[in-house]
Amino acid sequence: MLENLGFDVDVQYTASVTDMIQRLYVNHDFDLTYGSMSISDAVPNLRLAGLKSTDQSDVLGYKNPEMDAALDAAHQAVTIEAEKAALKQVEQIIHDDVPMMPWAAGSNFVAWAPNVYGTVPSADGMVLLGDTWIK
């Protein structure tokens, strides 16, 4: 698809998963790669932290002091309005820098019965059943 747009594509395969992890997540030795970054609408700060240049989960190798400051503001916000304003800044920086390209949206489906109570949904789409009971 990229060649149809005028890009010269040089696919570089790796010999093992270890080599791929080293190239992508440690050395950030790539121009373009494919992966996923699931960002929950309920808790966007959880995954967006990966865009911060000092974060351990920085899989993109993306560095931008403005993004770091906007993410700090989102994490430190004490009101919903302040968090939304900071996340709007994060969104604008993503649009300006294009460190990633959204490819598709996903959704969670949790099948449930109306007589089940006490569960706790988590930010990762899992349901915690520690206090669950059935009526």
Side-chain angles (χ1 to χ4, degrees):
M1 290 188 304
L2 291 171
E3 288 175 341
N4 290 335
L5 296 171
F7 287 85
D8 292 324
V9 176
D10 176 25
V11 177
Q12 297 178 0
Y13 297 98
T14 58
S16 67
V17 173
T18 304
D19 291 343
M20 181 185 70
I21 290 170
Q22 181 74 28
R23 183 180 291 172
L24 295 178
Y25 303 122
V26 177
N27 298 337
H28 300 115
D29 182 17
F30 59 88
D31 293 321
L32 179 69
T33 187
Y34 177 80
S36 74
M37 185 177 181
S38 301
I39 300 174
S40 163
D41 288 339
V43 192
N45 287 336
L46 186 66
R47 294 291 186 263
L48 286 172
L51 292 173
K52 191 167 179 187
S53 61
T54 58
D55 194 84
Q56 295 270 339
S57 63
D58 174 21
V59 297
L60 299 175
Y62 173 68
K63 310 284 185 238
N64 182 332
E66 289 180 47
M67 178 63 82
D68 292 348
L71 289 168
D72 285 342
H75 288 293
Q76 296 166 9
V78 294
T79 66
I80 295 294
E81 292 78 18
E83 183 180 24
K84 284 183 178 180
L87 289 174
K88 188 172 183 172
Q89 180 63 28
V90 168
E91 180 182 15
Q92 186 59 53
I93 295 168
I94 289 171
H95 289 303
D96 293 344
D97 287 359
V98 194
M100 60 187 162
M101 182 174 63
W103 200 268
S107 61
N108 287 336
F109 173 75
V110 179
W112 210 252
N115 63 335
V116 177
Y117 298 89
T119 59
V120 177
S122 77
D124 285 324
M126 295 183 292
V127 179
L128 306 178
L129 304 173
D131 295 323
T132 301
W133 56 279
I134 298 174
K135 183 176 181 180

